[in-house]
Short mmCIF file of all heavy atoms in Angstrom, two decimals:
data_model
loop_
_atom_site.label_atom_id
_atom_site.label_comp_id
_atom_site.label_asym_id
_atom_site.label_seq_id
_atom_site.Cartn_x
_atom_site.Cartn_y
_atom_site.Cartn_z
N GLY A 1 7.85 49.49 55.85
CA GLY A 1 8.33 49.07 54.54
C GLY A 1 7.25 48.62 53.58
O GLY A 1 7.54 48.30 52.43
N ALA A 2 6.00 48.59 54.01
CA ALA A 2 4.90 48.17 53.14
C ALA A 2 4.59 49.25 52.11
O ALA A 2 5.05 50.39 52.22
CB ALA A 2 3.67 47.87 53.99
N GLU A 3 3.80 48.88 51.08
CA GLU A 3 3.52 49.85 50.04
C GLU A 3 2.20 49.60 49.32
O GLU A 3 1.67 48.49 49.32
CB GLU A 3 4.64 49.86 49.01
CG GLU A 3 4.80 48.58 48.24
CD GLU A 3 6.00 48.58 47.31
OE1 GLU A 3 7.05 49.15 47.67
OE2 GLU A 3 5.88 47.99 46.24
N ILE A 4 1.72 50.65 48.70
CA ILE A 4 0.66 50.59 47.69
C ILE A 4 1.36 50.95 46.40
O ILE A 4 2.04 51.98 46.31
CB ILE A 4 -0.50 51.54 48.03
CG1 ILE A 4 -1.23 51.01 49.26
CG2 ILE A 4 -1.43 51.67 46.84
CD1 ILE A 4 -2.37 51.88 49.72
N ASN A 5 1.21 50.10 45.35
CA ASN A 5 2.08 50.20 44.19
C ASN A 5 1.30 49.94 42.91
O ASN A 5 0.64 48.91 42.77
CB ASN A 5 3.18 49.15 44.36
CG ASN A 5 4.19 49.13 43.26
OD1 ASN A 5 4.01 49.71 42.20
ND2 ASN A 5 5.28 48.43 43.51
N SER A 6 1.38 50.88 41.97
CA SER A 6 0.78 50.69 40.63
C SER A 6 1.86 51.00 39.60
O SER A 6 1.97 52.13 39.14
CB SER A 6 -0.45 51.59 40.44
OG SER A 6 -0.12 52.94 40.64
N SER A 7 2.68 50.01 39.29
CA SER A 7 3.89 50.23 38.50
C SER A 7 3.99 49.29 37.32
O SER A 7 3.40 48.22 37.30
CB SER A 7 5.12 50.03 39.39
OG SER A 7 5.12 50.95 40.45
N SER A 8 4.81 49.70 36.33
CA SER A 8 5.14 48.86 35.19
C SER A 8 6.65 48.68 35.17
O SER A 8 7.39 49.64 34.97
CB SER A 8 4.68 49.50 33.88
OG SER A 8 5.13 48.71 32.81
N ILE A 9 7.08 47.46 35.41
CA ILE A 9 8.51 47.15 35.42
C ILE A 9 9.00 46.96 33.99
O ILE A 9 10.17 47.08 33.70
CB ILE A 9 8.78 45.91 36.29
CG1 ILE A 9 8.38 46.21 37.73
CG2 ILE A 9 10.24 45.49 36.24
CD1 ILE A 9 8.38 45.03 38.64
N GLY A 10 8.08 46.71 33.05
CA GLY A 10 8.44 46.55 31.64
C GLY A 10 8.36 47.88 30.91
O GLY A 10 8.79 48.91 31.41
N GLY A 11 7.76 47.87 29.73
CA GLY A 11 7.75 49.06 28.89
C GLY A 11 6.47 49.87 28.94
O GLY A 11 6.34 50.83 28.19
N GLY A 12 5.52 49.52 29.80
CA GLY A 12 4.25 50.24 29.83
C GLY A 12 4.27 51.42 30.78
O GLY A 12 5.25 51.70 31.46
N SER A 13 3.14 52.10 30.83
CA SER A 13 2.98 53.23 31.74
C SER A 13 2.54 52.75 33.11
O SER A 13 1.95 51.68 33.24
CB SER A 13 1.92 54.20 31.19
OG SER A 13 2.38 54.78 29.99
N GLY A 14 2.83 53.56 34.12
CA GLY A 14 2.39 53.25 35.47
C GLY A 14 0.89 53.43 35.59
O GLY A 14 0.28 54.20 34.85
N GLY A 15 0.28 52.72 36.50
CA GLY A 15 -1.16 52.85 36.71
C GLY A 15 -1.47 54.04 37.61
O GLY A 15 -0.60 54.57 38.30
N ASN A 16 -2.72 54.46 37.58
CA ASN A 16 -3.17 55.53 38.46
C ASN A 16 -3.60 54.95 39.80
O ASN A 16 -4.17 53.87 39.85
CB ASN A 16 -4.34 56.29 37.83
CG ASN A 16 -3.91 57.01 36.57
OD1 ASN A 16 -2.81 57.54 36.50
ND2 ASN A 16 -4.78 57.04 35.58
N THR A 17 -3.32 55.68 40.86
CA THR A 17 -3.72 55.29 42.20
C THR A 17 -4.64 56.36 42.76
O THR A 17 -4.26 57.54 42.80
CB THR A 17 -2.50 55.12 43.12
OG1 THR A 17 -1.65 54.11 42.58
CG2 THR A 17 -2.91 54.74 44.53
N ASP A 18 -5.85 55.98 43.15
CA ASP A 18 -6.81 56.90 43.75
C ASP A 18 -7.14 56.40 45.15
O ASP A 18 -7.65 55.28 45.31
CB ASP A 18 -8.10 56.96 42.91
CG ASP A 18 -7.86 57.57 41.55
OD1 ASP A 18 -7.32 58.69 41.50
OD2 ASP A 18 -8.20 56.92 40.54
N LEU A 19 -6.84 57.24 46.14
CA LEU A 19 -7.09 56.89 47.53
C LEU A 19 -8.09 57.88 48.12
O LEU A 19 -7.91 59.10 47.99
CB LEU A 19 -5.80 56.94 48.35
CG LEU A 19 -4.65 56.07 47.86
CD1 LEU A 19 -3.41 56.29 48.71
CD2 LEU A 19 -5.05 54.60 47.85
N VAL A 20 -9.13 57.36 48.76
CA VAL A 20 -10.12 58.19 49.45
C VAL A 20 -10.18 57.68 50.87
O VAL A 20 -10.46 56.50 51.11
CB VAL A 20 -11.51 58.09 48.77
CG1 VAL A 20 -12.53 58.91 49.53
CG2 VAL A 20 -11.44 58.48 47.31
N ALA A 21 -9.88 58.57 51.84
CA ALA A 21 -9.84 58.14 53.23
C ALA A 21 -10.12 59.31 54.16
O ALA A 21 -9.91 60.47 53.80
CB ALA A 21 -8.48 57.54 53.56
N GLU A 22 -10.55 58.98 55.36
CA GLU A 22 -10.64 60.00 56.40
C GLU A 22 -9.22 60.40 56.81
O GLU A 22 -8.92 61.57 56.95
CB GLU A 22 -11.43 59.49 57.59
CG GLU A 22 -12.90 59.28 57.29
CD GLU A 22 -13.63 58.61 58.43
OE1 GLU A 22 -13.13 58.62 59.58
OE2 GLU A 22 -14.72 58.06 58.17
N SER A 23 -8.35 59.39 57.00
CA SER A 23 -6.97 59.67 57.38
C SER A 23 -6.04 58.62 56.79
O SER A 23 -6.43 57.48 56.56
CB SER A 23 -6.83 59.68 58.91
OG SER A 23 -7.14 58.41 59.44
N ILE A 24 -4.79 59.05 56.54
CA ILE A 24 -3.75 58.15 56.04
C ILE A 24 -2.52 58.36 56.91
O ILE A 24 -2.08 59.49 57.13
CB ILE A 24 -3.41 58.42 54.57
CG1 ILE A 24 -4.63 58.14 53.69
CG2 ILE A 24 -2.21 57.57 54.12
CD1 ILE A 24 -4.43 58.46 52.21
N ASN A 25 -1.97 57.25 57.40
CA ASN A 25 -0.78 57.28 58.24
C ASN A 25 0.31 56.44 57.57
O ASN A 25 0.15 55.23 57.40
CB ASN A 25 -1.10 56.73 59.63
CG ASN A 25 0.07 56.81 60.57
OD1 ASN A 25 0.94 57.66 60.42
ND2 ASN A 25 0.10 55.92 61.54
N LEU A 26 1.40 57.11 57.17
CA LEU A 26 2.56 56.42 56.60
C LEU A 26 3.69 56.46 57.61
O LEU A 26 4.12 57.54 58.00
CB LEU A 26 3.01 57.09 55.30
CG LEU A 26 2.02 57.21 54.17
CD1 LEU A 26 2.61 58.00 53.02
CD2 LEU A 26 1.59 55.84 53.70
N GLU A 27 4.14 55.30 58.04
CA GLU A 27 5.32 55.19 58.91
C GLU A 27 6.27 54.22 58.24
O GLU A 27 6.07 53.01 58.30
CB GLU A 27 4.93 54.67 60.29
CG GLU A 27 4.17 55.69 61.12
CD GLU A 27 3.97 55.21 62.54
OE1 GLU A 27 4.91 54.67 63.15
OE2 GLU A 27 2.84 55.38 63.03
#
């Protein structure tokens, strides 16, 4: 249930997310 989050709950735009990794595991 964890997250990486770049969001605007108000009236703005969402942020950009840049991930650089050897591996990513989402469970």
